Amino acid sequence: MASAAEQLAANLNFSAFSKAEDLKKRIWFTLGALIVYRLGTYIPMPGINPDALAQAFQQQSTGILGLFNMFSGGAVGRMAIFALGIMPYISASIIIQLMTSVIPSLEQLKKEGEQGRKVINQYTRYGTVLLSIVQAYGIAAGLQTQANIVVNPGWFFTMSAVITLVGGTMFLMWLGEQITARGIGNGISLIIFAGIVANLPSALANLLELGRTGALSTAVILIIIVLAVVTIATIVFFERAQRRLLIQYPKRQVGNRMFQGDTSHLPLKLNTSGVIPPIFASSLLLLPVTVANFSNTEELPDWATAVVASLGHGQPLYMLFYAGLIAFFAFFYTAVVFNPKDTADNLKKHGGFIPGIRPGERTAEYIDFVLTRITVVGAIYLVVVCLLPEFLISAAGVPFYLGGTSLLIVVSVTMDTVAQVQGHLLAHQYEGLIKKSKLRGGKRGR
């Protein structure tokens, strides 16, 4: 981690940043787009009683609504036009990626390069619309079952709510794509990042208020702050960790000259799955509790009531299933996004090989073996990072925004964005060197 920090300090050149006009335009565009997103989280959906909504949301803020409220930047708690957030797009993207490994036609599209990716992106947009309609209808129907939240319940409210929420999600999807193309960083990730960061000050204020009122002791608050710092440092270390496989290329002859074989590395990230495992694990575990809260608990059988109580936030069974689902999705998503066989075939096509390993099937088996071993470490890292803050959340009532999942998203997106800024700065410096060399060559020619 120290070497990475030294490299970061060496690459940052503020004089180069002041001269990189294109980079500054991209940053300003990104900031402007995120401001538009934040404004949309305060525009309420028509037909909602805000006082009744706030009271109902307060009762279920520890369920899946609290989690979605974190990802939507508080839009769910205010039932704003961006209440669905960008989650339908993420869900559709994951479903399409799963289908590409099952359906041969989609797998072939994935291999066709840029044109194939455009078709897959279009399918993802269609899936986003479909998921948004289903979720928006569910929200509209759920709101009408609660007393006094909807001013005028009925089909007109349902239609207007579906149109509003689906339109908000589609606008966010378009905005994320614009940030990716014309801004800096991954647009979808930055939208989630902005929603979490925007609510961090209020989360910290609530934490300090708990300390002021005596609900939390000063020692507990200090432990929370130290744990957050340690968690951030751990995330930085493990997100940068790689296992590099040595790749060699044979000697080649061009004309009468013999060129020495090159060597390179195949980097395998310790955490290939990113933040997907904790997001999906949290959603699956909190869903039964939220459904039970919306329904009449007196009508549930005794066994269902016991299961719901055991899966409550902070319960031992919840923690056990949470850890197991994180580990499962870490392996599952890694298998979806990284194919050892395709990597081995590409190496063989370009003449590369791993020393001591036969090209082709043996190389694919070796890469899969190494990837499985490091994914075990990555899964343990995700479980520890996401589970330790959960104990504090359940014991002290700390908001979701100070949990491991939110810190993981914030740190990961920050690192990716800083890396892209560095890339633009290095490209600008390289272009400047080329222009200078051309000018010197022209002067010498004269």
Side-chain angles (χ1 to χ4, degrees):
M1 190 168 63
S3 61
E6 292 172 0
Q7 183 180 2
L8 175 64
N11 287 338
L12 285 178
N13 189 329
F14 292 101
S15 62
F17 176 79
S18 63
K19 298 176 183 177
E21 294 296 332
D22 180 66
L23 177 59
K24 288 192 286 187
K25 289 179 181 178
R26 286 178 173 272
I27 292 176
W28 281 115
F29 179 85
T30 302
L31 292 176
L34 294 179
I35 290 174
V36 170
Y37 159 65
R38 288 302 302 160
L39 290 175
T41 61
Y42 286 91
I43 301 176
M45 192 171 65
I48 297 293
N49 183 346
D51 296 331
L53 174 66
Q55 183 178 0
F57 183 80
Q58 186 66 29
Q59 298 174 356
Q60 305 197 29
S61 60
T62 58
I64 196 171
L65 292 182
L67 183 70
F68 285 165
N69 192 50
M70 178 187 75
F71 292 136
S72 65
V76 173
R78 294 182 286 270
M79 202 49 64
I81 59 175
F82 291 160
L84 281 182
I86 204 67
M87 296 305 291
Y89 178 79
I90 295 176
S91 301
S93 301
I94 293 171
I95 292 172
I96 294 297
Q97 288 180 1
L98 292 175
M99 293 174 66
T100 54
S101 59
V102 177
I103 302 176
S105 58
L106 289 178
E107 186 177 3
Q108 185 62 33
L109 279 175
K110 189 177 179 180
K111 296 178 180 178
E112 289 181 1
E114 184 64 27
Q115 189 62 32
R117 282 194 294 270
K118 288 182 179 179
V119 177
I120 291 177
N121 288 339
Q122 195 64 26
Y123 290 157
T124 304
R125 296 186 185 101
Y126 295 148
T128 303
V129 174
L130 181 61
L131 290 176
S132 300
I133 291 174
V134 173
Q135 293 182 19
Y137 179 80
I139 289 177
L143 289 174
Q144 293 179 86
T145 60
Q146 303 296 308
N148 301 324
I149 291 182
V150 179
V151 178
N152 294 312
W155 66 268
F156 181 78
F157 171 78
T158 302
M159 291 295 296
S160 63
V162 170
I163 293 173
T164 301
L165 294 176
V166 172
T169 296
M170 298 310 295
F171 177 79
L172 286 183
M173 182 184 69
W174 174 82
L175 190 65
E177 292 176 351
Q178 294 300 309
I179 293 174
T180 303
R182 302 170 58 186
I184 204 81
N186 182 282
I188 303 300
S189 300
L190 282 172
I191 287 175
I192 299 176
F193 167 87
I196 296 174
V197 170
N199 287 283
L200 279 178
S202 61
L204 291 173
N206 292 337
L207 182 64
L208 296 176
E209 180 65 18
L210 291 174
R212 189 186 67 81
T213 57
L216 288 179
S217 64
T218 306
V220 173
I221 294 177
L222 290 176
I223 290 173
I224 292 172
I225 295 174
V226 170
L227 182 60
V229 174
V230 172
T231 302
I232 292 173
T234 303
I235 292 171
V236 172
F237 178 80
F238 279 94
E239 290 299 320
R240 288 187 176 274
Q242 295 178 346
R243 169 68 189 278
R244 295 186 176 185
L245 300 181
L246 180 64
I247 305 296
Q248 289 188 348
Y249 294 90
K251 297 179 180 179
R252 56 192 179 92
Q253 184 173 357
V254 179
N256 295 327
R257 299 184 61 183
M258 179 67 71
F259 290 89
Q260 188 68 25
D262 296 329
T263 60
S264 64
H265 292 89
L266 175 65
L268 300 177
K269 286 191 65 176
L270 190 69
N271 178 29
T272 307
S273 57
V275 299
I276 295 300
I279 292 175
F280 269 66
S282 301
S283 302
L284 287 178
L285 281 176
L286 293 174
L287 186 59
V289 181
T290 304
V291 172
N293 288 336
F294 271 118
S295 61
N296 190 355
T297 54
E298 297 179 356
E299 299 178 357
L300 294 175
D302 294 338
W303 65 268
T305 305
V307 170
V308 169
S310 301
L311 290 177
H313 202 273
Q315 297 298 321
L317 188 61
Y318 170 87
M319 297 295 187
L320 182 63
F321 275 101
Y322 189 43
L325 285 174
I326 288 176
F328 168 76
F329 281 117
F331 281 94
F332 184 77
Y333 196 71
T334 298
V336 170
V337 300
F338 190 92
N339 191 332
K341 188 176 183 302
D342 291 344
T343 304
D345 290 342
N346 290 331
L347 287 175
K348 186 178 181 180
K349 186 185 301 182
H350 294 88
F353 64 93
I354 299 175
I357 307 297
R358 183 177 298 175
E361 187 177 349
R362 292 290 186 183
T363 299
E365 293 176 355
Y366 178 75
I367 294 175
D368 183 63
F369 171 73
V370 174
L371 188 63
T372 302
R373 292 177 63 186
I374 64 175
T375 303
V376 170
V377 180
I380 294 173
Y381 141 72
L382 286 176
V383 169
V384 172
V385 164
C386 294
L387 214 59
L388 282 181
E390 287 296 327
F391 289 108
L392 278 177
I393 290 175
S394 60
V398 180
F400 276 112
Y401 306 100
L402 299 178
T405 303
S406 57
L407 291 178
L408 182 63
I409 294 173
V410 169
V411 175
S412 300
V413 174
T414 301
M415 291 170 59
D416 292 340
T417 305
V418 170
Q420 288 205 23
V421 171
Q422 291 179 2
H424 281 281
L425 285 177
L426 291 174
H428 177 74
Q429 291 176 346
Y430 181 71
E431 291 176 359
L433 291 175
I434 292 177
K435 290 179 180 179
K436 288 181 180 179
S437 62
K438 287 183 178 180
L439 288 174
R440 290 174 182 172
K443 291 180 180 178
R444 290 176 183 175
R446 292 178 184 175

